[in-house]
Each structure stands twice: as C-alpha cells, then as structure tokens.
Amino acid sequence: MHQSGPFDLVFIAMFLVCFFIRMPHEYKTRQVKRIESRDNALEKFNLLLVFTGSLTLPVLYFFSPWFKFANYEVHTAVGICGSITAVIGVWLFWRSHKDLGRQFSATLEVKEVHALVTSGVYKNIRHPMYTAAFLVSFSQMLLLGNWVVGPSFLLAFLSLYLVRIGNEERMMLDHFGQEYADYMKRTNRLFPGLGKRP
C-alpha cells in the first residue's frame, strides 16, 4: 500500500470534491428525457479511458504495489503549483455545473429541456467544464509522484476532447442554429482570448 504524502492528500480532496459536485447533476440529468444522442463506440472508449485515468489507476496507485516502480518524490514547488491548479480547477468545475444547471450532460446528447446557456462562466468560454477537467487532470500530474498514474487522466481526457469537441459543436449548431453560430463568434472554446474561431 502506498504511503500518502501531503500532495497525495490534496489530490484525494480534489477528487472527492469533484465527485460530490458531479453526482447530483448526474442524477438530475437522468430524470430528463433525451431527444438526441451522438454517442458512438469511440466516444464510449474514450470515456472508459478517462474513467481509468482519473479513478482506476489512482486507486491502484494508492492501494497496490503495481505502479511502485514509477514512483518519484514530488518537489514542494511542483506540489504547491498542483495544489493551486487544483483549487482553480475545482472552482471552475463547480461553477460550470452551477451555471449549466439542468442543461448538463456527461455525454453527447440533447435533452428535452435543453437551452443554450451563455451567462456566467459561459459568457466568454464555450466549454468551461472542459477547461476545468484539463486543470484538474494537470493537477493530478503535478500532485501524484508517479510517471504512469500522474499523467494518465490528462492524456485520456486530451484524447476524449480531441475526438469529441468537433462533434459536440456540430451537434449544438444543428440544434441551436444561428444562435449557437453567433455564440461561437463572440466566445472561445477553453480560455478567454485564446483559440477563438475565425
């Protein structure tokens, strides 16, 4: 069993807070009728990779010797940077869910009550929840002293993002039409002022 250090504990706290933020929204969204889904085999495979990188491998890291060969000591400065990134990522994760409300879905689908959210953190960023996930996964890489488990969530989520983002925005354009096209023109995908579509 892995002996946890202070930055491992920060990671555990980050994971638990994100879990308790997400679960009520997962429950609520299951109560709303789905009218369209664009899930496919590749999407499901990438979601499995994200689950593995963000949960399965960290659990094995803490409770088994399997990844002991890749362990290293986290430098204090790196751990502090990871902790700060974790706080920012968790806050954005919470705020994204709060602003999205019943419009939330973890998969590529449109619900019966789906409306375009363009306020709060969605005013300048189209996908702040993805930004939050990148921050949290980057925090995992900085906080966990393991060459395999540390970057596993970041690499898995990057794969999901690259496959999903184009499909998601096409789905939104098909569903919301010009309203979403106008929204795209005045916003950026992940960070204000970066990556704006031409």
Side-chain angles (χ1 to χ4, degrees), residues 121-127 131 183-198:
V121 290
Y122 288 86
K123 183 176 181 180
N124 297 307
I125 312 173
R126 293 197 296 281
H127 305 284
T131 307
Y183 178 57
M184 292 175 74
K185 290 177 183 177
R186 64 178 187 268
T187 57
N188 305 282
R189 277 180 173 169
L190 297 176
F191 300 99
L194 297 174
K196 183 175 284 189
R197 291 174 62 95

PDB file of all heavy atoms in Angstrom, residues 121-127 131 183-198:
ATOM      1  N   VAL A 121     -19.930  31.731 -16.346  1.00  0.00           N
ATOM      2  CA  VAL A 121     -18.631  31.409 -16.943  1.00  0.00           C
ATOM      3  C   VAL A 121     -18.757  31.048 -18.415  1.00  0.00           C
ATOM      4  O   VAL A 121     -17.757  30.979 -19.130  1.00  0.00           O
ATOM      5  CB  VAL A 121     -17.924  30.266 -16.181  1.00  0.00           C
ATOM      6  CG1 VAL A 121     -17.466  30.732 -14.821  1.00  0.00           C
ATOM      7  CG2 VAL A 121     -18.810  29.032 -16.093  1.00  0.00           C
ATOM      8  N   TYR A 122     -20.009  30.834 -18.867  1.00  0.00           N
ATOM      9  CA  TYR A 122     -20.230  30.531 -20.283  1.00  0.00           C
ATOM     10  C   TYR A 122     -20.298  31.794 -21.143  1.00  0.00           C
ATOM     11  O   TYR A 122     -20.427  31.698 -22.352  1.00  0.00           O
ATOM     12  CB  TYR A 122     -21.516  29.712 -20.447  1.00  0.00           C
ATOM     13  CG  TYR A 122     -21.379  28.302 -19.947  1.00  0.00           C
ATOM     14  CD1 TYR A 122     -21.597  28.015 -18.602  1.00  0.00           C
ATOM     15  CD2 TYR A 122     -20.994  27.267 -20.780  1.00  0.00           C
ATOM     16  CE1 TYR A 122     -21.439  26.724 -18.105  1.00  0.00           C
ATOM     17  CE2 TYR A 122     -20.840  25.976 -20.298  1.00  0.00           C
ATOM     18  CZ  TYR A 122     -21.061  25.715 -18.959  1.00  0.00           C
ATOM     19  OH  TYR A 122     -20.890  24.442 -18.480  1.00  0.00           O
ATOM     20  N   LYS A 123     -20.183  32.941 -20.527  1.00  0.00           N
ATOM     21  CA  LYS A 123     -20.266  34.187 -21.286  1.00  0.00           C
ATOM     22  C   LYS A 123     -19.096  34.347 -22.245  1.00  0.00           C
ATOM     23  O   LYS A 123     -19.264  34.827 -23.375  1.00  0.00           O
ATOM     24  CB  LYS A 123     -20.318  35.377 -20.323  1.00  0.00           C
ATOM     25  CG  LYS A 123     -20.475  36.721 -21.038  1.00  0.00           C
ATOM     26  CD  LYS A 123     -20.615  37.860 -20.039  1.00  0.00           C
ATOM     27  CE  LYS A 123     -20.796  39.182 -20.771  1.00  0.00           C
ATOM     28  NZ  LYS A 123     -20.931  40.309 -19.817  1.00  0.00           N
ATOM     29  N   ASN A 124     -17.898  33.970 -21.809  1.00  0.00           N
ATOM     30  CA  ASN A 124     -16.705  34.149 -22.632  1.00  0.00           C
ATOM     31  C   ASN A 124     -16.043  32.835 -23.042  1.00  0.00           C
ATOM     32  O   ASN A 124     -15.125  32.837 -23.864  1.00  0.00           O
ATOM     33  CB  ASN A 124     -15.674  34.994 -21.884  1.00  0.00           C
ATOM     34  CG  ASN A 124     -16.179  36.393 -21.587  1.00  0.00           C
ATOM     35  OD1 ASN A 124     -16.627  37.103 -22.479  1.00  0.00           O
ATOM     36  ND2 ASN A 124     -16.137  36.792 -20.329  1.00  0.00           N
ATOM     37  N   ILE A 125     -16.474  31.719 -22.431  1.00  0.00           N
ATOM     38  CA  ILE A 125     -15.897  30.412 -22.743  1.00  0.00           C
ATOM     39  C   ILE A 125     -17.029  29.449 -23.078  1.00  0.00           C
ATOM     40  O   ILE A 125     -17.977  29.312 -22.309  1.00  0.00           O
ATOM     41  CB  ILE A 125     -15.097  29.843 -21.556  1.00  0.00           C
ATOM     42  CG1 ILE A 125     -14.137  30.881 -20.979  1.00  0.00           C
ATOM     43  CG2 ILE A 125     -14.323  28.600 -21.987  1.00  0.00           C
ATOM     44  CD1 ILE A 125     -13.446  30.419 -19.714  1.00  0.00           C
ATOM     45  N   ARG A 126     -16.928  28.764 -24.213  1.00  0.00           N
ATOM     46  CA  ARG A 126     -17.998  27.844 -24.595  1.00  0.00           C
ATOM     47  C   ARG A 126     -17.964  26.542 -23.801  1.00  0.00           C
ATOM     48  O   ARG A 126     -19.003  25.912 -23.589  1.00  0.00           O
ATOM     49  CB  ARG A 126     -17.907  27.520 -26.102  1.00  0.00           C
ATOM     50  CG  ARG A 126     -18.198  28.691 -26.997  1.00  0.00           C
ATOM     51  CD  ARG A 126     -18.507  28.259 -28.415  1.00  0.00           C
ATOM     52  NE  ARG A 126     -17.415  27.601 -29.103  1.00  0.00           N
ATOM     53  CZ  ARG A 126     -16.377  28.226 -29.655  1.00  0.00           C
ATOM     54  NH1 ARG A 126     -16.275  29.542 -29.561  1.00  0.00           N
ATOM     55  NH2 ARG A 126     -15.443  27.547 -30.299  1.00  0.00           N
ATOM     56  N   HIS A 127     -16.774  26.135 -23.381  1.00  0.00           N
ATOM     57  CA  HIS A 127     -16.652  24.831 -22.733  1.00  0.00           C
ATOM     58  C   HIS A 127     -15.832  24.919 -21.437  1.00  0.00           C
ATOM     59  O   HIS A 127     -14.784  24.272 -21.317  1.00  0.00           O
ATOM     60  CB  HIS A 127     -16.008  23.840 -23.699  1.00  0.00           C
ATOM     61  CG  HIS A 127     -16.721  23.714 -25.003  1.00  0.00           C
ATOM     62  ND1 HIS A 127     -17.907  23.018 -25.131  1.00  0.00           N
ATOM     63  CD2 HIS A 127     -16.426  24.223 -26.232  1.00  0.00           C
ATOM     64  CE1 HIS A 127     -18.309  23.082 -26.393  1.00  0.00           C
ATOM     65  NE2 HIS A 127     -17.436  23.800 -27.077  1.00  0.00           N
ATOM     66  N   THR A 131     -12.347  23.030 -19.673  1.00  0.00           N
ATOM     67  CA  THR A 131     -11.214  23.757 -19.097  1.00  0.00           C
ATOM     68  C   THR A 131     -10.948  23.263 -17.688  1.00  0.00           C
ATOM     69  O   THR A 131      -9.795  23.013 -17.303  1.00  0.00           O
ATOM     70  CB  THR A 131     -11.499  25.267 -19.070  1.00  0.00           C
ATOM     71  OG1 THR A 131     -11.889  25.709 -20.378  1.00  0.00           O
ATOM     72  CG2 THR A 131     -10.260  26.053 -18.634  1.00  0.00           C
ATOM     73  N   TYR A 183     -22.921  32.730 -31.010  1.00  0.00           N
ATOM     74  CA  TYR A 183     -22.233  32.498 -29.739  1.00  0.00           C
ATOM     75  C   TYR A 183     -20.777  32.104 -29.979  1.00  0.00           C
ATOM     76  O   TYR A 183     -19.867  32.558 -29.277  1.00  0.00           O
ATOM     77  CB  TYR A 183     -22.985  31.409 -28.976  1.00  0.00           C
ATOM     78  CG  TYR A 183     -22.394  31.009 -27.650  1.00  0.00           C
ATOM     79  CD1 TYR A 183     -22.176  31.946 -26.643  1.00  0.00           C
ATOM     80  CD2 TYR A 183     -22.077  29.672 -27.393  1.00  0.00           C
ATOM     81  CE1 TYR A 183     -21.641  31.561 -25.417  1.00  0.00           C
ATOM     82  CE2 TYR A 183     -21.560  29.283 -26.169  1.00  0.00           C
ATOM     83  CZ  TYR A 183     -21.337  30.230 -25.185  1.00  0.00           C
ATOM     84  OH  TYR A 183     -20.814  29.856 -23.972  1.00  0.00           O
ATOM     85  N   MET A 184     -20.550  31.282 -30.986  1.00  0.00           N
ATOM     86  CA  MET A 184     -19.192  30.862 -31.322  1.00  0.00           C
ATOM     87  C   MET A 184     -18.324  32.043 -31.750  1.00  0.00           C
ATOM     88  O   MET A 184     -17.129  32.098 -31.452  1.00  0.00           O
ATOM     89  CB  MET A 184     -19.219  29.807 -32.437  1.00  0.00           C
ATOM     90  CG  MET A 184     -19.816  28.479 -32.019  1.00  0.00           C
ATOM     91  SD  MET A 184     -19.966  27.300 -33.388  1.00  0.00           S
ATOM     92  CE  MET A 184     -18.251  26.815 -33.589  1.00  0.00           C
ATOM     93  N   LYS A 185     -18.927  32.994 -32.430  1.00  0.00           N
ATOM     94  CA  LYS A 185     -18.161  34.139 -32.931  1.00  0.00           C
ATOM     95  C   LYS A 185     -17.669  35.049 -31.809  1.00  0.00           C
ATOM     96  O   LYS A 185     -16.645  35.711 -31.950  1.00  0.00           O
ATOM     97  CB  LYS A 185     -19.018  34.944 -33.908  1.00  0.00           C
ATOM     98  CG  LYS A 185     -19.289  34.236 -35.227  1.00  0.00           C
ATOM     99  CD  LYS A 185     -20.210  35.068 -36.107  1.00  0.00           C
ATOM    100  CE  LYS A 185     -20.541  34.324 -37.396  1.00  0.00           C
ATOM    101  NZ  LYS A 185     -21.504  35.085 -38.246  1.00  0.00           N
ATOM    102  N   ARG A 186     -18.391  35.092 -30.705  1.00  0.00           N
ATOM    103  CA  ARG A 186     -18.023  36.020 -29.638  1.00  0.00           C
ATOM    104  C   ARG A 186     -17.365  35.318 -28.436  1.00  0.00           C
ATOM    105  O   ARG A 186     -17.101  35.969 -27.421  1.00  0.00           O
ATOM    106  CB  ARG A 186     -19.244  36.813 -29.165  1.00  0.00           C
ATOM    107  CG  ARG A 186     -20.351  36.008 -28.516  1.00  0.00           C
ATOM    108  CD  ARG A 186     -21.491  36.901 -28.044  1.00  0.00           C
ATOM    109  NE  ARG A 186     -22.489  36.167 -27.278  1.00  0.00           N
ATOM    110  CZ  ARG A 186     -23.575  35.609 -27.788  1.00  0.00           C
ATOM    111  NH1 ARG A 186     -23.825  35.714 -29.091  1.00  0.00           N
ATOM    112  NH2 ARG A 186     -24.428  34.959 -27.014  1.00  0.00           N
ATOM    113  N   THR A 187     -17.108  34.024 -28.556  1.00  0.00           N
ATOM    114  CA  THR A 187     -16.516  33.284 -27.433  1.00  0.00           C
ATOM    115  C   THR A 187     -15.336  32.442 -27.907  1.00  0.00           C
ATOM    116  O   THR A 187     -15.072  32.309 -29.101  1.00  0.00           O
ATOM    117  CB  THR A 187     -17.548  32.357 -26.775  1.00  0.00           C
ATOM    118  OG1 THR A 187     -18.069  31.459 -27.777  1.00  0.00           O
ATOM    119  CG2 THR A 187     -18.668  33.136 -26.134  1.00  0.00           C
ATOM    120  N   ASN A 188     -14.659  31.850 -26.940  1.00  0.00           N
ATOM    121  CA  ASN A 188     -13.559  30.931 -27.192  1.00  0.00           C
ATOM    122  C   ASN A 188     -13.892  29.578 -26.584  1.00  0.00           C
ATOM    123  O   ASN A 188     -14.712  29.488 -25.667  1.00  0.00           O
ATOM    124  CB  ASN A 188     -12.275  31.480 -26.571  1.00  0.00           C
ATOM    125  CG  ASN A 188     -11.977  32.877 -27.063  1.00  0.00           C
ATOM    126  OD1 ASN A 188     -11.494  33.082 -28.154  1.00  0.00           O
ATOM    127  ND2 ASN A 188     -12.294  33.849 -26.227  1.00  0.00           N
ATOM    128  N   ARG A 189     -13.221  28.564 -27.050  1.00  0.00           N
ATOM    129  CA  ARG A 189     -13.542  27.225 -26.568  1.00  0.00           C
ATOM    130  C   ARG A 189     -13.169  27.015 -25.105  1.00  0.00           C
ATOM    131  O   ARG A 189     -13.980  26.552 -24.315  1.00  0.00           O
ATOM    132  CB  ARG A 189     -12.841  26.177 -27.423  1.00  0.00           C
ATOM    133  CG  ARG A 189     -13.580  25.833 -28.698  1.00  0.00           C
ATOM    134  CD  ARG A 189     -12.828  24.784 -29.485  1.00  0.00           C
ATOM    135  NE  ARG A 189     -13.608  24.327 -30.630  1.00  0.00           N
ATOM    136  CZ  ARG A 189     -13.122  23.577 -31.604  1.00  0.00           C
ATOM    137  NH1 ARG A 189     -11.848  23.202 -31.576  1.00  0.00           N
ATOM    138  NH2 ARG A 189     -13.895  23.209 -32.605  1.00  0.00           N
ATOM    139  N   LEU A 190     -11.921  27.331 -24.747  1.00  0.00           N
ATOM    140  CA  LEU A 190     -11.415  26.953 -23.435  1.00  0.00           C
ATOM    141  C   LEU A 190     -10.961  28.107 -22.564  1.00  0.00           C
ATOM    142  O   LEU A 190     -11.136  28.073 -21.352  1.00  0.00           O
ATOM    143  CB  LEU A 190     -10.247  25.962 -23.592  1.00  0.00           C
ATOM    144  CG  LEU A 190     -10.572  24.626 -24.252  1.00  0.00           C
ATOM    145  CD1 LEU A 190      -9.299  23.811 -24.431  1.00  0.00           C
ATOM    146  CD2 LEU A 190     -11.605  23.850 -23.448  1.00  0.00           C
ATOM    147  N   PHE A 191     -10.338  29.118 -23.170  1.00  0.00           N
ATOM    148  CA  PHE A 191      -9.783  30.225 -22.396  1.00  0.00           C
ATOM    149  C   PHE A 191     -10.158  31.549 -23.047  1.00  0.00           C
ATOM    150  O   PHE A 191     -10.097  31.673 -24.268  1.00  0.00           O
ATOM    151  CB  PHE A 191      -8.253  30.120 -22.305  1.00  0.00           C
ATOM    152  CG  PHE A 191      -7.778  28.859 -21.658  1.00  0.00           C
ATOM    153  CD1 PHE A 191      -7.342  27.790 -22.418  1.00  0.00           C
ATOM    154  CD2 PHE A 191      -7.782  28.729 -20.270  1.00  0.00           C
ATOM    155  CE1 PHE A 191      -6.909  26.617 -21.830  1.00  0.00           C
ATOM    156  CE2 PHE A 191      -7.345  27.569 -19.665  1.00  0.00           C
ATOM    157  CZ  PHE A 191      -6.907  26.514 -20.442  1.00  0.00           C
ATOM    158  N   PRO A 192     -10.539  32.564 -22.271  1.00  0.00           N
ATOM    159  CA  PRO A 192     -10.855  33.872 -22.852  1.00  0.00           C
ATOM    160  C   PRO A 192      -9.663  34.410 -23.625  1.00  0.00           C
ATOM    161  O   PRO A 192      -8.539  34.401 -23.130  1.00  0.00           O
ATOM    162  CB  PRO A 192     -11.145  34.740 -21.620  1.00  0.00           C
ATOM    163  CG  PRO A 192     -11.513  33.778 -20.553  1.00  0.00           C
ATOM    164  CD  PRO A 192     -10.686  32.549 -20.808  1.00  0.00           C
ATOM    165  N   GLY A 193      -9.912  34.820 -24.855  1.00  0.00           N
ATOM    166  CA  GLY A 193      -8.852  35.440 -25.652  1.00  0.00           C
ATOM    167  C   GLY A 193      -7.955  34.473 -26.378  1.00  0.00           C
ATOM    168  O   GLY A 193      -7.071  34.889 -27.121  1.00  0.00           O
ATOM    169  N   LEU A 194      -8.193  33.143 -26.215  1.00  0.00           N
ATOM    170  CA  LEU A 194      -7.349  32.158 -26.872  1.00  0.00           C
ATOM    171  C   LEU A 194      -8.213  31.191 -27.677  1.00  0.00           C
ATOM    172  O   LEU A 194      -9.281  30.791 -27.234  1.00  0.00           O
ATOM    173  CB  LEU A 194      -6.560  31.338 -25.859  1.00  0.00           C
ATOM    174  CG  LEU A 194      -5.556  32.120 -24.999  1.00  0.00           C
ATOM    175  CD1 LEU A 194      -4.956  31.203 -23.948  1.00  0.00           C
ATOM    176  CD2 LEU A 194      -4.455  32.699 -25.863  1.00  0.00           C
ATOM    177  N   GLY A 195      -7.742  30.865 -28.852  1.00  0.00           N
ATOM    178  CA  GLY A 195      -8.395  29.819 -29.648  1.00  0.00           C
ATOM    179  C   GLY A 195      -9.718  30.216 -30.248  1.00  0.00           C
ATOM    180  O   GLY A 195     -10.529  29.361 -30.563  1.00  0.00           O
ATOM    181  N   LYS A 196      -9.962  31.517 -30.406  1.00  0.00           N
ATOM    182  CA  LYS A 196     -11.251  31.944 -30.972  1.00  0.00           C
ATOM    183  C   LYS A 196     -11.358  31.493 -32.419  1.00  0.00           C
ATOM    184  O   LYS A 196     -10.400  31.561 -33.178  1.00  0.00           O
ATOM    185  CB  LYS A 196     -11.409  33.451 -30.880  1.00  0.00           C
ATOM    186  CG  LYS A 196     -12.755  33.964 -31.394  1.00  0.00           C
ATOM    187  CD  LYS A 196     -12.939  35.442 -31.173  1.00  0.00           C
ATOM    188  CE  LYS A 196     -13.250  35.723 -29.724  1.00  0.00           C
ATOM    189  NZ  LYS A 196     -13.647  37.138 -29.525  1.00  0.00           N
ATOM    190  N   ARG A 197     -12.508  31.031 -32.785  1.00  0.00           N
ATOM    191  CA  ARG A 197     -12.729  30.602 -34.185  1.00  0.00           C
ATOM    192  C   ARG A 197     -12.681  31.821 -35.087  1.00  0.00           C
ATOM    193  O   ARG A 197     -13.123  32.898 -34.739  1.00  0.00           O
ATOM    194  CB  ARG A 197     -14.087  29.935 -34.303  1.00  0.00           C
ATOM    195  CG  ARG A 197     -14.176  28.583 -33.590  1.00  0.00           C
ATOM    196  CD  ARG A 197     -15.605  28.071 -33.627  1.00  0.00           C
ATOM    197  NE  ARG A 197     -16.051  27.845 -34.992  1.00  0.00           N
ATOM    198  CZ  ARG A 197     -15.992  26.682 -35.599  1.00  0.00           C
ATOM    199  NH1 ARG A 197     -15.474  25.641 -34.973  1.00  0.00           N
ATOM    200  NH2 ARG A 197     -16.424  26.524 -36.835  1.00  0.00           N
ATOM    201  N   PRO A 198     -12.158  31.656 -36.315  1.00  0.00           N
ATOM    202  CA  PRO A 198     -12.122  32.781 -37.267  1.00  0.00           C
ATOM    203  C   PRO A 198     -13.521  33.179 -37.690  1.00  0.00           C
ATOM    204  O   PRO A 198     -14.444  32.400 -37.640  1.00  0.00           O
ATOM    205  CB  PRO A 198     -11.302  32.214 -38.433  1.00  0.00           C
ATOM    206  CG  PRO A 198     -11.443  30.730 -38.316  1.00  0.00           C
ATOM    207  CD  PRO A 198     -11.564  30.438 -36.848  1.00  0.00           C
TER     208      PRO A 198
END
